[in-house]
Every structure is written in C-alpha cells, then in structure tokens.
Amino acid sequence: MKKRSRSTEVILSTDSINVVYQESLIALQNVSLDIPAAKLTAILGPSGCGKTTLLKVIAGLIKPTSGSVKVRGKEIEGPGPDRALVFQDFALLPWATVLQNVGFGLRARGVPKKERDETSLHYIKEVGLLGFEDKYPHQLSGGMRQRTGLARALTINSDILLMDEPFSAVDEQMRRKLQEDLLNLLKVENKTVIFVTHSIEEAVYLADQVIILSGRPGSVAEIVYPKIDRTGEIDLIRRQPGYIDLVDEIWSSLKKYVE
Amino acid sequence: MQKSPFWSLIFWAGVWEFVGQMQWMTLLPPLSGIWFAFAELFQQSAFWDAFIMTARTFGIGLSLSIVVGIPIGILMGISSRADKILSVWVNLFLSAPITAVIPALMPILGIADATVIATVILFSIWVVIIDTQAGVTHVKDSLVEMGKIFGCSRSKIIFWIVIPSAMPEIITGIRLSVVRAVKGVIVGQIVIALIGFGGLFSTYLSYFLMERFWALIIVVFIMSFTIIGLVEMLERRIAFYAKSR
Ligand SMILES: Nc1ncnc2c1ncn2[C@@H]1O[C@H](COP(=O)(O)OP(=O)(O)O)[C@@H](O)[C@H]1O
Ligand SMILES: [Mg+2]
C-alpha cells in the first residue's frame, strides 16, 4: 500500500465538510479530500456511513452544514455543468424513451432537437445501446437502464463524473460487464470519476485512489492507491498479484467499522 | 344458472313487471308501461331543455374543478405551507355531506345554472386536489435531483418531471371527480327541484305521471353509467403508463 507520487492536478477538493441531519445525526465529519484529475477515485465504506451524502455534497445537491467543495479552486454554489451524476436507482423518466432520457440534460440547456438527438445517439452508441433508442425504461434490463443513465451523464460533457453505487442494482454478471465497459469507456473519454461503492473488489478493480470512510459518523479513515496496471487486457487486472492482497488489506482495516 | 348481469337484469325486470301488474304500489307502474313513457319523454321540449341544462352545468362545473383543482393540488404537493393552510378544508369538504350546503347556495347564487355549477364543483373538486397532491408528493426524489443536476429551473422541474410523474394519480382523480360531478349535477337539480331534471321529477311526481318519472330515472341512470364507463375506458388506455413506473 505505497503512496503514489501525486503529480496529477487536483480538479476537485473538499475542505472539512460536516453534514448534520436533523440537528443530531452526524453523517459526515471533517471530510477533506483531493480528487486527482482524469483518475478514478472510489469512495468505499459500510452502508450508512455517509457515502451518498458525500457524493451529493460534491454534486451540489446538499449544502454541507460546514465546509466547502471547490472545483479547480472555485467554490461551488450548487449543481453545475462541470459535474454530472449517475444515480443508483437510474433516475430515468418512465414516460420517455432512451433517446429522450439521454437527451434530457441537453434539452434542459435548450439545445435544439436535431443537435440534441445527434449528440444523444453518439453516446447511446458509446455505451452500447444502439438499437434501443426508442425503447422505454420498463422495456430495458437493469444494466441497460444504467447504461442509459451513464449516456445521459456523458452528453453534457462535464469533466467530472459522479457515480453513486451505479452497478449495485444489477446482477453479478452484468456488474462485471458494466465495470469492464466503464474502464473501456474511460480510455476514450477523459474523465475524472468519483465512484461510490460498498464493494472492496469493485473499488480495487476500478480505482486509482480508494478513499475509505469509517462508520457513522463518516470520516476519512484511510486512502489507498491500488497499483494496478490497467493498460493491458481488462481480464488480466483481477489476476495481478497486488489485487487480492489489497482487497484483503482493505478488508482488515474496514472490518472494525462493520458491526 | 349462468352468472351474467344480463340474466340478473332480466330477472329483476320480470319481478318489477309482476309487482307493477299486481298494482300493489301506486308509485310503481309495470315496467312495460314505462317503455311507452320513453317515447313521450323524448318528444317533450322540457326534457331536452333539462338535458341541455344538465350537460351545460355538468360540463362547466367539472371543467372548473379540473382546471382549478389540479394547480391547487400541485401547489399543496410542492409547498408545505400551502398544504398546512389548505389541507384541513380539502379533507373536510372531501367527506362532508355537500347536499346539505345546497340550500345555503340558493339565496346567494339564485335558482339557476350558477347554483347547479357550484354544486357540481363542491362535489367534484376535492378529489382532484387530493389525488393530484398525492401524485406530486410521491414523485421520486431522485428524479427531482436529476433535474437539478442538469440545471433545470424550478418551473422546468415542475412541468417536465413533477407533473408527468403525478399523471397516473391526476387521471385517477379526474375519473373520481367525473363520478362525483355526475352525482352533483343530479343532486343539485333535485334539491333545488325547480330547474332541469329536478324540475321534471317534481312535476311528474306531483301530477302522478309515474311512468314518465321512472322513465326519467332510467334515462338519468343510463346517462351517468355511460359517462362513467367512458371515463374508465379512457383511464385504462392510459394505465400502461402507470404500470411502467
Ligand atoms: N435526508 C436525510 N435525513 C436524515 N438522515 C439522513 C438523510 N439522508 C441520509 N441520512 C442518514 O445519514 C447517514 C448516511 O446516509 P448515506 O449518505 O445515505 O449513507 P450511505 O450512502 O453510505 O449508505 C445514514 O445514517 C442515513 O440514515
Ligand atoms: Mg448510499
């Protein structure tokens, strides 16, 4: 578990964030983070430790009780075009087709229909949903719904992609496929990804930096930098010698927060 | 025995005919006599005047209930302050015996269309409000957050996300309000007893024209069931949409 030299630019940082719900429930305590640009950061922790809260603070959906979030040194005021969010429950409009759902962000910005559809189709193709653009969410599998949510987040071309347990609502095989596809996609799209998960394997497999949150109240317990070579075949990542060791190490440090 | 509403209807029509023929009750003529009364009824200009008046007051009252009820329901769904102020009244009127209020309306609005329209509204608006509000408060949080993430203004969130999400409940509210408006328009006229079908009913009763009286009741029933049936058919066509949520 060696700290990697941090040569990359910090694109987003949080400064001593505290979130208190209903005057007594402390969800986050003093969370300060640096998120490196163009890397995949995983936020890992037991359920209920404040992962979603942290991601929503970063997204600008929740105002922290104290502390601030900065993107490229500038404090955020709320949601912004520099950050897109992929939802755990997909958050698709059930009355809209895949094409309309994917184009939602562009429509909100007033992009004309023709241009909107062109851009949407480009990303529908990129996430592997070509041919499904006229289907409704209820006609899609869980994996396809999340691909739709991902394509929608990609259309607005934000540098930072926030994902809240994006693959937790799909089955194991589909999860693996989506993870592989995400890694492949990130080779094409130059994105900073902040990824919430409760799966140690998923964090180690996908992330360049894993932020481990302690149990309630959530605070940063540890940060690890998996030294996994992702340049080669994706299938080989799980066979690399460091992979299993790191999963075990993280488990032993996380164990004490799981009751 | 076959279980079908048709046979049941035939059976009870037979009972009616028998009881009528026996002349046990002066108020109940034999069913066969009523068939001739239909033809008489449809030849009366008073019937058609009452019909048009009923259609007009029903249409205006129901439209106002829907057009006013939906925005109020939306407002109560998105603003807890509006909810606090209004929900007491909405819930009170939702279950109150509205019929008792009609005599109080007459001196204010006169013995005319306005009183019947007010009755229709008082019968039908509350359920539109309540169902719209329920639809709006049950909109998934993540959809609203999604709207915010993509920079939607408040009005875009309401028109693009909240209202379409609440549509199944709104449609249910409209269906129930049609049923209540049908009751309202008839009850209103009967309580006033001087205009529309209410006027006809009391005329027929006071002149002992029992065949026409019953023919009119059957016509009113058939009209009500036709309208309610049409609305239910319409709701089923939109039902797929509710299921896909
Ligand atoms: N809107 C809210 N109001 C009150 N408490 C909340 C709210 N959202 C989350 N919590 C509480 O805050 C804690 C952290 O929640 P969350 O961020 O969803 O955790 P995680 O995503 O890690 O499972 C939990 O105890 C949860 O019950
Ligand atoms: Mg969560």
Side-chain angles (χ1 to χ4, degrees):
Chain A
M1 232 192 286
K2 250 189 299 175
K3 287 215 171 182
R4 184 187 49 176
S5 61
R6 307 285 304 280
S7 55
T8 39
E9 170 211 1
V10 170
I11 188 167
L12 185 146
S13 62
T14 70
D15 185 20
S16 32
I17 286 179
N18 288 284
V19 173
V20 182
Y21 284 121
Q22 290 152 3
E23 291 175 12
S24 59
L25 195 144
I26 303 171
L28 291 175
Q29 196 167 49
N30 222 10
V31 176
S32 298
L33 295 172
D34 283 339
I35 307 294
K39 301 278 181 206
L40 206 152
T41 298
I43 297 171
L44 179 68
S47 80
C49 76
K51 303 183 295 296
T52 298
T53 304
L54 178 56
L55 204 69
K56 282 185 182 173
V57 167
I58 292 173
L61 290 171
I62 297 178
K63 279 223 182 314
T65 314
S66 65
S68 64
V69 179
K70 291 192 176 111
V71 176
R72 293 197 182 86
K74 205 171 162 293
E75 193 170 330
I76 64 160
E77 304 266 311
D82 46 9
R83 285 151 291 144
L85 179 61
V86 176
F87 290 81
Q88 182 169 10
D89 68 352
F90 321 127
L92 300 177
L93 306 175
W95 57 87
T97 61
V98 168
L99 185 66
Q100 289 164 338
N101 266 297
V102 172
F104 184 90
L106 297 170
R107 184 168 167 230
R109 291 182 172 193
V111 175
K113 179 158 169 38
K114 193 166 172 288
E115 192 188 330
R116 192 163 80 210
D117 287 352
E118 265 170 30
T119 313
S120 302
L121 278 171
H122 169 79
Y123 288 104
I124 285 171
K125 190 175 168 201
E126 205 168 87
V127 300
L129 273 183
L130 209 59
F132 291 92
E133 54 272 15
D134 294 326
K135 292 272 187 282
Y136 288 88
H138 68 98
Q139 298 171 301
L140 304 177
S141 68
M144 288 164 136
R145 288 181 207 181
Q146 197 49 292
R147 286 171 197 267
T148 309
L150 179 59
R152 178 179 61 194
L154 291 172
T155 55
I156 60 165
N157 211 8
S158 56
D159 292 332
I160 303 168
L161 198 58
L162 310 172
M163 305 174 100
D164 188 5
E165 304 201 25
F167 310 143
S168 64
V170 299
D171 64 60
E172 175 67 21
Q173 285 85 22
M174 182 50 69
R175 179 153 54 241
R176 290 202 175 213
K177 182 85 176 76
L178 288 168
Q179 289 167 348
E180 288 183 7
D181 290 354
L182 178 66
L183 285 180
N184 280 326
L185 189 79
L186 292 176
K187 288 177 186 160
V188 186
E189 301 278 338
N190 187 35
K191 300 271 180 207
T192 304
V193 178
I194 306 176
F195 188 102
V196 164
T197 181
H198 61 248
S199 158
I200 300 172
E201 283 83 359
E202 187 166 84
V204 174
Y205 176 59
L206 292 173
D208 303 295
Q209 165 181 286
V210 179
I211 292 160
I212 302 169
L213 293 187
S214 67
R216 215 181 302 159
S219 57
V220 180
E222 203 172 337
I223 301 180
V224 299
Y225 303 92
K227 297 199 75 177
I228 307 266
D229 178 16
R230 276 180 253 279
T231 50
E233 271 289 302
I234 278 172
D235 283 336
L236 298 177
I237 296 178
R238 283 195 172 90
R239 294 200 207 149
Q240 286 176 30
Y243 176 80
I244 294 293
D245 292 344
L246 191 52
V247 168
D248 278 347
E249 266 184 69
I250 292 177
W251 170 233
S252 53
S253 77
L254 207 54
K255 215 182 317 200
K256 57 179 169 289
Y257 305 118
V258 183
E259 51 271 291
Chain B
M1 256 257 325
Q2 204 177 343
K3 262 196 184 170
S4 134
F6 177 71
W7 291 109
S8 168
L9 226 55
I10 293 287
F11 171 74
W12 288 109
V15 172
W16 183 343
E17 180 65 23
F18 176 75
V19 173
Q21 292 289 358
M22 291 294 115
Q23 297 191 331
W24 287 334
M25 287 176 273
T26 40
L27 288 180
L28 196 71
L31 190 58
S32 53
I34 292 169
W35 290 117
F36 299 107
F38 277 117
E40 287 172 22
L41 202 60
F42 293 146
Q43 279 162 6
Q44 299 236 316
S45 68
F47 170 81
W48 293 108
D49 288 347
F51 179 82
I52 288 164
M53 188 252 181
T54 305
R56 186 175 60 228
T57 48
F58 173 81
I60 295 172
L62 179 63
S63 309
L64 281 172
S65 279
I66 294 170
V67 169
V68 176
I70 291 175
I72 293 178
I74 291 170
L75 189 70
M76 287 174 68
I78 57 180
S79 148
S80 56
R81 190 182 303 166
D83 178 50
K84 274 197 198 109
I85 296 169
L86 297 171
S87 71
V88 186
W89 296 105
V90 174
N91 283 299
L92 185 80
F93 277 107
L94 187 68
S95 48
I98 301 293
T99 314
V101 183
I102 305 171
L105 292 174
M106 284 196 277
I108 305 168
L109 297 170
I111 311 229
D113 281 17
T115 304
V116 181
I117 292 171
T119 309
V120 172
I121 294 174
L122 284 173
F123 265 77
S124 61
I125 195 170
W126 315 108
V127 72
V128 178
I129 296 176
I130 285 283
D131 279 21
T132 303
Q133 185 194 16
V136 168
T137 45
H138 291 146
V139 174
K140 272 166 77 178
D141 290 340
S142 67
L143 286 184
V144 174
E145 287 174 347
M146 190 275 291
K148 289 183 187 161
I149 282 289
F150 289 107
C152 287
S153 59
R154 204 174 154 79
S155 65
K156 275 182 187 163
I157 289 180
I158 290 170
F159 284 104
W160 291 2
I161 295 174
V162 173
I163 295 177
S165 285
M167 211 39 109
E169 283 91 346
I170 293 176
I171 301 279
T172 304
I174 291 175
R175 172 172 62 80
L176 296 174
S177 82
V178 171
V179 176
R180 282 164 171 247
V182 168
K183 285 183 195 163
V185 80
I186 301 300
V187 169
Q189 292 177 35
I190 286 176
V191 172
I192 297 170
L194 291 169
I195 48 174
F197 287 137
L200 284 184
F201 275 127
S202 44
T203 310
Y204 294 159
L205 267 182
S206 52
Y207 289 94
F208 268 94
L209 297 167
M210 292 323 291
E211 281 89 357
R212 280 200 201 163
F213 176 83
W214 284 104
L216 187 57
I217 286 190
I218 292 172
V219 169
V220 167
F221 271 39
I222 290 173
M223 282 184 338
S224 309
F225 289 134
T226 309
I227 291 170
I228 293 166
L230 280 175
V231 178
E232 278 174 355
M233 225 167 68
L234 220 81
E235 195 194 20
R236 267 198 297 277
R237 295 187 89 180
I238 309 171
F240 87 95
Y241 168 90
K243 258 186 287 168
S244 66
R245 289 205 301 176

